[in-house]
Structures are given as C-alpha cells and as structure tokens.
Amino acid sequence: TRLFSQDLGGSCDAARLTWGAGSDEEINWQLGVVDCPADKVKANIAGRKRVYLMIINTPSECIIGGDGDALLSLVKDLDCGFHPLEGVTTVHCDVVKAVEEAYRDLHLFDTHPPQGLAFYSGVAASQYDVTRESAADSIVRQALETFDYTKLINAAYEDGFRIFIEMGPGASCSRMIGQILGERQHIARSACVNGQSDHGNVLRILAQLNTERLPVDLSSLYSSGRVHRQTEDKSTLSVDVGKAPIVVHLPEQSQNESTRVANKESRADILECTQVQTQNNPMSAIMENMMSMDAAHAETQTTFLRVA
C-alpha cells in the first residue's frame, strides 16, 4: 500500500488533493502539542485553512497539525507553548477522506472479542460490539475526525471504571488520565516506563491491584515444577527452576476490634490528663488546645502503625 509512504505520509498526496495544491507544490505537513484548552484552539482555528485540531489530550493540552506556515500562525495567535512532533501521519482530520476506502480496507480483520470485556470506540467515546465491520468503521472515523481523549476517559469513568493500566510504551496515557480525572478517585499506571525495569513495573502493577482487592493470579510468575530438556547432540541441558505457585490472600478490610478499643482508651487517658493539668492554669485554654492536638496526633500515629 502507498497509504503511509505517499498518501498520508511521505509526499502527503492526500493533503495535496484535499487542499487543491499543484503537483509541484511541496506539502510541508507539521504538527505538535500545545498547552492550550480545546475551546480556545477551536475559536482561533475557525476560518483558517490547512490547519486542524487533531487530538484533545487533556483539558489543557491539544495536538494541532497542518501546513507549516498556517500552523505557526495559529500558535502565534494562541500565544502558548508548542512542542513539535516528528514522524506522524496526516490523520485525525478530513485529509483522510481522500483515501477513506483504502484506509478502511487496510483495517478489515477477523475479530474474536473475548467474553466479559467492554470495548470502547475512541472517537465515539462509548462501548460498542466489536465485529469486522464495526472495528474498521471506528478506526476510520477516528482517522477522519478530531479524537477527544478527555471525552473517552470521562465516559469510561462514568461507566464505573476506576483502574487504568497502560500497556503501550512511554506512559503518556497514564499522565493524561491523571490530568483528566484530577482529584477523582482512580489509579492510572503504565506497564512500560522509560528508564525503569519492565519486569519491576509489571510486578508493581500486580502488587497494587492486589492491595486494591482485585483478584490477581500470580501463578504464571512461578514454575510448576522442574523439567529437564536435553538437545539431540546432548551438548545443552535446560532446567526450569522456581518456586511453586503461591496464593495471595486479599488484605483484611476491617481493623481488629481490640485495637479500636485500645485507641479510644488511649485518647481518653490523654484528654483526662489534659484536663487535670489545665484546670488552674491561666493559659488553660491554650494548653488544652495543644494537648488535644497531641492526642489527635497520637491517635493518628497509632492508626498509621496499625495500617503499616
């Protein structure tokens, strides 16, 4: 296919056709990230030619692209930071319309979605039934239109999802999810972070899922037994080693009753001592307040030690 070597990349012939540019005109396609809300980008992009809002990453970050001169003019008017991106194609805009049929044919595959999983269309920001046709339609539509990642993540959150695990490299989605959901209760972790051990990252994700009381099967981390394999020429002997599979029990949700009683008695003793010491003191109000704070601190420390 010439889709990515000439039409959507390389000489960008799809953009040439969409813009009505001459065969001798060089297409200077550029794009990058701007630290600017989508509403401001849309307001400034209205009426301009050859420039697009391609992706809405977060409430304060977008990706824009198009002709180099038109793009830089837009960035200047937005008066914001701009980080150029390299090696990406002319998608997420109507340039793809010129090669829509070929693009859809490229994404037609037999589908066998596992039972019990919810699949989301990125551009529709909603769940859908995955088939050969519907998957291709979703991918093509996402290539033709602006992709709003904030809308997708908010939709998943409204549907009850609270834990997000990024499987791809770079941890960019985990970062964006954190900015999209803000203070709302959630977990967003990446399985592949630059400069960190891939093996360690996977183990940390499994550990956190277990602490959140999700069922985690760790048996694949351990060998089920020892198997000796020898090559035909007997020059190599392979031995699988490892411990037997382990069972991880979910953490207890309720604290020990005796600990709760002890905490109450401890605080009562401190408060009683406070009252005795401050009855005839001219600074009793201040002292009582300080001692109450000490009592609260002691109880907090006790709770921390119990949890730890």
Side-chain angles (χ1 to χ4, degrees), residues 86-98:
E86 303 292 339
V88 285
T89 55
T90 56
V91 293
H92 307 306
C93 64
D94 62 10
V95 166
V96 179
K97 192 72 177 177

Side-chain angles (χ1 to χ4, degrees), residues 12 15 19 25-32 48-52 64-76 82 84 90:
C12 298
W19 297 344
E25 181 181 347
E26 181 181 356
I27 302 301
N28 180 25
W29 181 270
Q30 296 182 26
L31 75 160
R48 297 176 187 260
K49 296 181 179 179
R50 299 189 177 190
V51 64
Y52 308 94
I64 57 176
D67 172 74
D69 292 337
L71 186 67
L72 293 179
S73 175
L74 173 61
V75 171
K76 182 179 179 181
F82 176 72
T90 56

Side-chain angles (χ1 to χ4, degrees), residues 102-120:
Y103 195 86
R104 187 176 187 277
D105 289 343
L106 186 67
H107 292 93
L108 284 170
F109 293 96
D110 291 336
T111 57
H112 307 281
Q115 296 295 316
L117 292 183
F119 289 85
Y120 280 76

Side-chain angles (χ1 to χ4, degrees), residues 206 214-221 245-246 248:
L206 294 175
L214 294 180
V216 179
D217 180 7
L218 301 180
S219 60
S220 60
L221 298 178
I246 63 172
V248 177

Side-chain angles (χ1 to χ4, degrees), residues 112-263:
H112 307 281
Q115 296 295 316
L117 292 183
F119 289 85
Y120 280 76
S121 165
V123 68
S126 61
Q127 297 182 26
Y128 76 113
D129 294 327
V130 177
T131 66
R132 175 183 172 88
E133 302 295 325
S134 67
D137 289 342
S138 177
I139 293 172
V140 171
R141 185 182 165 195
Q142 179 170 295
L144 281 166
E145 303 176 19
T146 299
F147 173 31
D148 190 343
Y149 195 60
T150 64
K151 185 178 179 181
L152 171 65
I153 296 303
N154 282 321
Y157 195 87
E158 290 298 318
D159 289 343
F161 291 94
R162 296 293 181 270
I163 298 177
F164 300 83
I165 301 176
E166 180 179 1
M167 309 308 293
S172 59
C173 290
S174 302
R175 175 188 65 84
M176 292 188 294
I177 291 170
Q179 293 184 23
I180 292 169
L181 296 179
E183 296 299 320
R184 285 177 284 178
Q185 187 179 46
H186 75 282
I187 294 171
R189 294 204 61 155
S190 173
C192 186
V193 182
N194 292 335
Q196 296 184 14
S197 163
D198 293 339
H199 182 259
N201 279 330
V202 171
L203 293 181
R204 280 189 285 270
I205 287 176
L206 294 175
Q208 184 160 12
L209 294 178
N210 182 65
T211 61
E212 296 298 329
R213 299 181 174 85
L214 294 180
V216 179
D217 180 7
L218 301 180
S219 60
S220 60
L221 298 178
Y222 298 87
S223 172
S224 58
R226 300 190 177 207
V227 180
H228 296 260
R229 295 188 302 275
Q230 198 168 32
T231 58
E232 292 184 1
D233 61 2
K234 299 185 179 181
S235 61
T236 303
L237 178 67
S238 176
V239 180
D240 292 337
V241 298
K243 298 180 180 179
I246 63 172
V247 177
V248 177
H249 298 286
L250 296 180
E252 293 291 338
Q253 288 184 284
S254 60
Q255 76 179 88
N256 186 277
E257 181 64 28
S258 61
T259 304
R260 286 198 295 268
V261 173
N263 288 343

Side-chain angles (χ1 to χ4, degrees), residues 234-298:
K234 299 185 179 181
S235 61
T236 303
L237 178 67
S238 176
V239 180
D240 292 337
V241 298
K243 298 180 180 179
I246 63 172
V247 177
V248 177
H249 298 286
L250 296 180
E252 293 291 338
Q253 288 184 284
S254 60
Q255 76 179 88
N256 186 277
E257 181 64 28
S258 61
T259 304
R260 286 198 295 268
V261 173
N263 288 343
K264 293 179 180 179
E265 291 177 349
S266 174
R267 184 176 184 186
D269 291 343
I270 293 174
L271 290 177
E272 183 178 352
C273 178
T274 300
Q275 294 170 356
V276 170
Q277 292 182 19
T278 60
Q279 280 178 349
N280 299 315
N281 194 318
M283 298 183 66
S284 61
I286 296 176
M287 292 294 296
E288 183 173 352
N289 184 44
M290 292 176 62
M291 293 299 292
S292 295
M293 290 175 63
D294 286 343
H297 178 76

